[in-house]
Amino acid sequence: MRRRQRRIALLALPALVAGVLVTTGPAGADPTGSTAAAGSGRSQLDNREQARLVPIKLAGADLLDKVVAAGFDIEHGLKRVPTGIEGEAVVTAEQVAELKAMGVEVLGDDVGFEWSDEADGGIQGAAARAVQPASHEATVRIARADWFTTKGQGFLYVEARTTEGQQADPIVEMQLENDSGKRTSFGFARTMSRFVDSGQYMFHRNLFKLDARPNQIRVTSSTGGVTTGVVSDWLEDAPPPLTENRGYKADFVDGYRHPQQLYSRAKEIARQYPDIAEIVYLPNQTNGYQRKAQATIGGTGQAAVVVSSAAWGHEGGNDVTVEFVDRPGADLPLAAEVTGKAVRVLLAKDASGGLASTATEVADALRTQSQGLIDRSHPYRTNAGTGIVAPTGGPVALTDSLDQKRVGAPEGEVPRGPVTIPVLRIGKHRDGKKPGVLIQAQDHAREWVPATTSLESAERLVHNYKSDKETKKIVDNTDVFFILSNNPDGANYSFYNFASQRKNMTNHCPDATADPAQRNSWGVDLNRNYRVGSGHDGYAGGSSNCVSGTYQGPEELSEPESKNIIWLVEKYSNIKFMMSVHSNGGQLFWQPGAYIADGRITTPRPPLGDEAFYWQSAARILSQVKAHRETVVTPENVGGSSDVLYSSAGNVREDLYYTYGIYAFGWEVGGSVYNPATGNWQGGSFQPAWEGDPNLVSGHAETMEYANGIMEMFRVAADWGKDKKDPTSKLVPGNGKYREPVDVRFETNEPATIYYTTDGSRPTLQSPRYAATEFREPGQVFHVTETTTFNWFSVDSAGNIEKNYDPTKNDKRNNYRTATIKIDKK
């Protein structure tokens, strides 16, 4: 009999927008980008001012919303602490003062995060965790209790909930105790931190140092609830990475690479290894590393005029000059004359011989009388332009400012104009029959390590294909697509002009924010430009302010870079896995990625089976990262991105998962590294020094360890593609007679989604899905008070259906699973 294998369809886009789920709220911060007055809260920023990362602390999500909406560039690595949100802002000295005026606490540059024995924070997962037996009567639940070691130091992370957690008067407190190993008593009582976001209780959590691994923990609520749980291992005893295989070749990338170098090497790999590699060119060219030539003439007051060339700077705009001229006489009209690329504005005179042209009038004259040399001309920002314009005393040259190279930038000129992005495709069988994996790096321009990590992974595949059997299995059984830099324009700007550039270079700004002092804030955040859970639909984390770091663009898929991703996954429908590689937060996450801030209404959470598969895959990937130099991505930093990071409206992962059924991961490589010499954790950066202490942060070390993780993701995909084995499941406890009500739950032998009925009917894909007790918790518990028959089937992540059952047909065999819980109260 032909076996049935199907990937259960995910929600389509219209259903997603209409059917979001209300949750009690994840733990991520909320950098929303709600509409603000154009340019609000922003200082002038030009190349003479040096932006830097400044550690900050905000009282809560409301203040974070205001700061991001005002256009400030808040770094990825936001972290919830018991008294608010900590992170970093990319700002100038002048903007530091503006942040302080908004109520932001600016921390000293020497402030470093340090784990303590007090409550700190974390996130829990859904796979391979130990919890107390669930009970419908429990008022306290332990969602996660994890032990891990790094550089010889042990840590315990705990997350627990109480059903009374929303109570605010008095606030519910929870105490955590742990033993010191098997058959030892509980002790070391600590108060856990209660986390509430947008008015919603989420959980209590702790992360602290321990010298001995505990076996059990006990959590007690101030309202009287108490429970115990068994401690699980997190990333302990990881299998050796491929780099330990005899003769394995690695460490190919010896420094940061700008887009031209990345693309050149991709094409060279395809030329050198034509039997397993090729180049696919994306159809939509980028808007280009190019700017219009500009100048702001006359200061910043009511008499100031902003002028932009019609031609790109490198195509003639940089040759344009503008001069405001005073003439002798009285009662003279405003006029303009053009000689070659020189524009002279002859200022008007009144009857007494005084200058009479306002900034608005001069701007109009430049637009209409410059013979096509001037494209945009307007008063400065929000000025009314009522001031009388003064003569310039000579011609003012317009410039695109792209000839001002950043100190330390690589040698060589950057190609101007639109770019066609090449995709490096690696696989022995590139016919669409093997599971495809898309690795997309550098959506955000200043994140240099993701590009080197991705290139290192590609080099390992082609160099080890003929000599390493595990690599051969990957190349023979997957179809890998590498986009080594998805934002070449912004990346070049980061390398050559402004290191902190996040977005692409497209200027969608209106006149109020289009002057050259704002040029380092223009562009679209490519990871806010997609169609699912977008800011245009009211989800938080994407800004409508064009100078915000999270500007979502004028519409969904407005940018060629995001259109290309959709084209790629639609053309190559075998792409089933995707990793969007970012830095530097040290997180690995998936859906849900966005929420509506009011009430924390998230995009739908994945089915429990998909969530478990994500967690299982994450453990494999992160174990390989740890195997390199014991870098641990902690459990608090793994899970749905809106839970562990913040709401990122319109991100690529949500679009690919919900629209196309692709398992889409987001990866913040880097993050904190434990330093055993100091007992503290050292934070990361977007562009860490390439070489350095191997125990601490460096671009080289991050590239190598996270390439280990990407290689393991390929193995996850290869295993998925070869999985033809049905899952198995059971109801615990199962068939039987019980003299009193009983709690039951489903268990599966692998990550799988269960569809069930309790009314005697045949289960189908429209039947209820077995769900989590609460977000980021194990499966729900059914409290059975009367005789009930459960009918169900399970579907694993690869689409295999238990017992080869076909839920779409009325098969007389009815080979679904069934169990009857008979309650006999006699």
Side-chain angles (χ1 to χ4, degrees):
M1 177 171 47
R2 182 174 62 90
R3 67 178 289 105
R4 302 199 59 83
Q5 185 182 46
R6 63 180 71 237
R7 176 79 167 94
I8 301 302
L10 296 166
L11 296 175
L13 179 62
L16 169 63
V17 174
V20 292
L21 305 175
V22 178
T23 78
T24 56
D30 173 19
T32 58
S34 55
T35 304
S40 171
R42 298 290 298 178
S43 301
Q44 293 185 38
L45 185 63
D46 61 30
N47 282 352
R48 294 186 300 273
E49 293 183 286
Q50 296 299 312
R52 62 191 178 97
L53 283 175
V54 174
I56 61 173
K57 184 175 180 180
L58 306 103
D62 290 344
L63 180 57
L64 180 61
D65 291 350
K66 294 175 183 177
V67 169
V68 175
F72 285 97
D73 188 355
I74 304 299
E75 198 267 277
H76 272 302
L78 295 172
K79 182 177 184 64
R80 288 203 168 272
V81 296
T83 54
I85 300 170
E86 290 183 356
E88 291 178 310
V90 181
V91 289
T92 64
E94 184 177 353
Q95 290 173 319
V96 168
E98 295 179 34
L99 285 173
K100 291 180 178 178
M102 296 179 71
V104 176
E105 181 182 353
V106 178
L107 305 175
D109 290 342
D110 59 344
V111 172
F113 185 77
E114 178 179 354
W115 297 122
S116 70
D117 289 344
E118 298 305 318
D120 181 30
I123 297 299
Q124 70 98 107
R129 61 177 181 261
V131 299
Q132 78 284 0
S135 168
H136 70 285
E137 297 177 346
T139 59
V140 175
R141 300 191 304 272
I142 298 172
R144 189 165 197 109
D146 280 313
W147 167 261
F148 67 88
T149 59
T150 177
K151 310 293 178 61
Q153 177 61 56
F155 290 88
L156 174 66
Y157 169 68
V158 177
E159 180 180 296
R161 280 192 176 90
T162 169
T163 55
E164 310 296 328
Q166 189 68 20
Q167 175 181 308
D169 187 19
I171 293 176
V172 177
E173 294 185 350
M174 294 175 71
Q175 294 284 326
L176 169 69
E177 300 169 277
N178 60 269
D179 63 19
S180 299
K182 292 182 179 180
R183 293 180 293 278
T184 61
S185 59
F186 289 112
F188 318 104
R190 295 170 174 86
T191 299
M192 299 181 70
S193 290
R194 173 179 179 264
F195 282 81
V196 175
D197 194 39
S198 296
Q200 296 294 321
Y201 168 72
M202 295 178 293
F203 38 67
H204 287 71
R205 60 185 183 179
N206 255 35
L207 178 60
F208 53 91
K209 292 180 182 178
L210 283 180
D211 292 329
R213 186 194 188 284
N215 183 57
Q216 286 189 308
I217 62 169
R218 180 167 63 192
V219 178
T220 305
S221 169
S222 59
T223 58
V226 61
T227 191
T228 60
V230 178
V231 176
S232 298
D233 286 328
W234 173 247
L235 308 184
E236 296 293 283
D237 301 320
L242 295 179
T243 51
E244 294 187 12
N245 291 356
R246 184 175 181 180
Y248 191 88
K249 303 177 186 68
D251 207 351
F252 295 98
V253 182
D254 59 3
Y256 291 120
R257 298 286 184 269
H258 56 62
Q260 293 73 245
Q261 294 169 319
L262 294 168
Y263 296 164
S264 176
R265 181 55 189 152
K267 295 172 187 177
E268 181 66 11
I269 288 173
R271 188 193 67 79
Q272 289 179 305
Y273 303 92
D275 56 330
I276 59 171
E278 64 179 309
I279 294 294
V280 174
Y281 289 99
L282 296 177
N284 300 292
Q285 287 191 314
T286 70
N287 294 323
Y289 176 79
Q290 56 189 11
R291 288 264 169 89
K292 299 298 180 70
Q294 291 185 298
T296 299
I297 304 174
T300 60
Q302 290 292 337
V305 179
V306 179
V307 184
S308 301
S309 65
W312 297 109
H314 66 285
E315 294 180 344
N318 288 334
D319 300 325
V320 175
T321 63
V322 173
E323 183 179 8
F324 300 160
V325 180
D326 184 9
R327 298 167 291 165
D331 201 19
L332 299 176
L334 176 66
E337 58 184 27
V338 178
T339 303
K341 296 290 183 70
V343 181
R344 299 177 78 241
V345 177
L346 309 177
L347 300 173
K349 305 293 280 289
D350 61 22
S352 62
L355 293 170
S357 297
T358 66
T360 297
E361 293 167 341
V362 169
D364 290 342
L366 283 167
R367 283 195 307 273
T368 59
Q369 300 179 44
S370 65
Q371 298 182 19
L373 292 178
I374 302 303
D375 183 19
R376 297 173 71 173
S377 184
H378 50 85
Y380 180 79
R381 302 199 181 181
T382 58
N383 290 350
T386 55
I388 301 301
V389 172
T392 58
V396 176
L398 306 190
T399 176
D400 62 9
S401 298
L402 297 181
D403 57 346
Q404 299 175 7
K405 296 293 187 287
R406 186 176 63 81
V407 174
E411 295 294 330
E413 291 296 321
V414 183
R416 303 296 178 90
V419 173
T420 297
I421 298 177
V423 181
L424 175 59
R425 186 182 187 186
I426 298 176
K428 181 62 177 178
H429 308 287
R430 303 184 301 280
D431 54 6
K433 296 180 180 179
K434 300 296 182 179
V437 184
L438 171 58
I439 304 297
Q440 176 211 49
Q442 209 171 38
D443 251 359
H444 294 150
R446 64 194 177 200
E447 299 168 6
W448 295 358
V449 175
T452 55
T453 298
S454 301
L455 178 59
E456 173 70 19
S457 303
E459 298 279 12
R460 292 184 186 183
L461 288 179
V462 296
H463 282 281
N464 292 292
Y465 176 63
K466 292 184 177 180
S467 58
D468 180 73
K469 63 180 182 180
E470 291 299 320
T471 303
K472 189 176 191 302
K473 289 179 183 178
I474 292 172
V475 177
D476 286 350
N477 292 289
T478 62
D479 189 0
V480 181
F481 299 79
F482 287 97
I483 301 178
L484 299 176
S485 176
N486 195 47
N487 184 3
D489 304 338
N492 277 319
Y493 197 69
S494 176
F495 270 97
Y496 288 91
N497 300 93
F498 179 61
S500 296
Q501 177 75 7
R502 170 182 167 94
K503 302 178 287 182
N504 69 6
M505 287 183 64
T506 306
N507 180 10
H508 290 292
C509 284
D511 291 349
T513 45
D515 59 90
Q518 294 275 30
R519 63 181 173 272
N520 289 341
S521 298
W522 294 331
V524 174
D525 183 342
L526 299 178
N527 204 33
R528 301 296 185 275
N529 194 231
Y530 291 85
R531 302 165 295 178
V532 175
S534 84
H536 298 280
D537 294 326
Y539 285 80
S543 177
S544 59
N545 181 354
C546 69
V547 294
S548 168
T550 56
Y551 176 53
Q552 62 201 11
E555 60 187 17
E556 296 165 350
L557 295 183
S558 64
E559 304 308 292
E561 297 92 341
S562 52
K563 290 176 182 174
N564 279 334
I565 301 301
I566 300 305
W567 175 87
L568 190 68
V569 299
E570 289 186 347
K571 180 175 178 61
Y572 300 99
S573 58
N574 64 314
I575 294 177
K576 301 301 181 184
F577 293 84
M578 185 264 192
M579 180 78 82
S580 181
V581 191
H582 292 260
S583 67
N584 62 345
Q587 293 111 359
L588 182 58
F589 44 73
W590 47 85
Q591 304 75 43
Y595 52 74
I596 296 172
D598 185 8
R600 276 197 170 269
I601 304 172
T602 73
T603 51
R605 293 185 176 274
L608 188 59
D610 277 5
E611 179 86 0
F613 179 69
Y614 271 125
W615 275 98
Q616 182 187 75
S617 302
R620 290 180 58 174
I621 292 167
L622 296 176
S623 291
Q624 294 304 299
V625 173
K626 183 182 180 184
H628 180 72
R629 57 167 187 158
E630 291 196 76
T631 295
V632 172
V633 176
T634 61
E636 63 176 321
N637 286 317
V638 181
S641 64
S642 62
D643 302 333
V644 305
L645 193 58
Y646 45 63
S647 177
S648 52
N651 70 77
V652 63
R653 303 179 308 277
E654 304 245 272
D655 205 328
L656 298 196
Y657 178 77
Y658 291 114
T659 309
Y660 303 102
I662 295 169
Y663 286 111
F665 293 81
W667 204 356
E668 289 275 343
V669 305
S672 297
V673 176
Y674 182 70
N675 183 351
T678 64
N680 297 327
W681 294 70
Q682 179 189 352
S685 66
F686 295 120
Q687 299 142 21
W690 181 253
E691 298 291 354
D693 186 332
N695 288 320
L696 302 179
V697 173
S698 74
H700 181 212
E702 290 180 359
T703 295
M704 297 306 131
E705 65 193 354
Y706 285 98
N708 279 4
I710 289 179
M711 296 299 291
E712 186 63 23
M713 184 178 180
F714 298 151
R715 294 208 283 188
V716 168
D719 291 345
W720 181 91
K722 293 183 291 184
D723 181 7
K724 301 296 186 292
K725 187 175 182 180
D726 292 349
T728 61
S729 60
K730 60 183 178 180
L731 192 68
V732 180
N735 275 316
K737 294 183 179 180
Y738 303 87
R739 295 186 176 181
E740 57 186 20
V742 63
D743 291 335
V744 301
R745 66 186 187 277
F746 287 111
E747 290 184 358
T748 59
N749 71 321
E750 63 172 301
T753 297
I754 290 176
Y755 295 81
Y756 70 94
T757 64
T758 56
D759 61 0
S761 63
R762 187 173 180 274
T764 69
L765 296 175
Q766 286 69 49
S767 299
R769 279 193 308 229
Y770 184 53
T773 303
E774 179 56 272
F775 76 95
R776 314 172 74 73
E777 289 194 20
Q780 66 199 99
V781 173
F782 302 98
H783 187 58
V784 181
T785 60
E786 59 186 34
T787 298
T788 304
T789 296
F790 289 83
N791 296 328
W792 76 92
F793 64 94
S794 61
V795 186
D796 69 16
S797 61
N800 301 304
I801 301 180
E802 187 171 10
K803 298 178 68 174
N804 204 23
Y805 173 63
D806 187 348
T808 67
K809 296 180 180 179
N810 191 8
D811 191 333
K812 293 182 179 180
R813 293 179 305 151
N814 287 334
N815 57 330
Y816 48 79
R817 301 296 307 277
T818 186
T820 298
I821 305 297
K822 186 175 182 181
I823 306 298
D824 187 355
K825 300 180 181 179
K826 295 181 180 179

